[in-house]
Amino acid sequence: MSSRKIPLTAGAMAVACSVGAALTLGALGGPAPAAARETAPDVRHTAAPQTTTVRYGPFTIPAAGDHGHDDDHGGGHGRVRDDDHGNGTTHNRITFNIKKPCDNCFITGFKPNLVYPDGSNANVNTGPMLHHAVLGTHRRSDTVCKGPQRVFASGNERMESVLPSGYGVKVKRGERWNMLYDLMNHEHKEKTVYISITYTHESAAGSQLKPVTPIWMDAGGCLGSIWDAPEGVSEKTRRWRSTISGRLVHMRGHLHHGGHSVRTENLTTGKLLCKVVATEGGSPEFIDPHGRTEISDMPPCSGDPLGTIHRGDVLQVTGRYEIDGHTHDNVMGIMVGWVAKD
């Protein structure tokens, strides 16, 4: 397997209207302005798998405010804005026509990260947090929510996804990608970072891989990904009647601080397709300077298949929160799956 790294890049940026609207990637519906267009990197068409790391940025995150996390640790009864806490934030922004790892190819795995300019890991123990990054294309429609198709996504859990052997996400020749991102800073001085994604891929020329289609299962719904989770145990669900048939081969989840688990079930067949249980503060990197933990592990589900979906089946996604002491505002419960359509 060969390996290469694409030089640092950043596209033109625009501020998205809100977290909920932005995560639908509705703002990514139009083509990039001519000035922002970039030529996709040239890759020789070979059957051999390759590994390519792309760094997006640089992005500078403002310093956290002095009030920091005071409301999040006293055991009192208040409201915690989960997407703020006094942290420095870029808010939701969009980069247009971002670099792809390859052209006319299949992506078989991706591993997201946040790094400093020297390549070292940037995580909440030193301030920066990858609140979310969503990569999508306006060339295809999103299966669940319409609008531009969301292809890959991650929060600060930064879990690697590897599709089962024989499957890949097809990247067509000349296809343009855009990226929505929201970065935060728990430290009291600004930080400059890059979003780094390592892709495994192979040429589509002569490939026998079967293409997969992403499905975005969002407990917050298509018009907004966020809701308020009350103190104690709570669950929020959302249902989708499938418009496709095929084999679900991979799923990954995303929750916020205080999230316990997220799961997707096929209510028509009664089958649990995937349940991801979150771990917080599993290593020192995921504990910020104020002692607050962030989600450190959400292992994806992978199988050939996890389950079979038929057109008309009702799928339900459920985000579960277990919160001690505070209502958490603006939480999320998302699962992204990949289906090999019949």
Side-chain angles (χ1 to χ4, degrees), residues 131-144:
H131 197 271
H132 52 257
V134 184
L135 283 69
T137 175
H138 65 270
R139 184 162 180 167
R140 294 185 295 272
S141 295
D142 193 90
T143 303
V144 178

Side-chain angles (χ1 to χ4, degrees), residues 5-10 13 52-61 90-95 98-99 110-117 119-122 128-135 152-156 158 178-184 191-199:
K5 182 172 288 188
I6 291 178
L8 316 181
T9 62
M13 292 186 290
T52 300
T53 298
V54 185
R55 298 207 304 181
Y56 305 101
F59 308 115
T60 297
I61 319 172
T90 63
H91 300 291
N92 281 287
R93 291 175 177 261
I94 297 168
T95 58
I98 64 172
K99 289 287 188 181
F110 77 105
K111 184 176 183 180
N113 201 10
L114 198 63
V115 299
Y116 289 113
S120 61
N121 214 35
M129 176 179 176
L130 176 58
H131 197 271
H132 52 257
V134 184
L135 283 69
F152 299 112
S154 179
N156 203 61
R158 312 179 190 200
N178 304 316
M179 179 174 68
L180 167 82
Y181 68 90
D182 183 10
L183 305 177
M184 291 189 175
K191 301 282 182 170
T192 297
V193 297
Y194 292 82
I195 296 172
S196 174
I197 302 180
T198 298
Y199 303 89

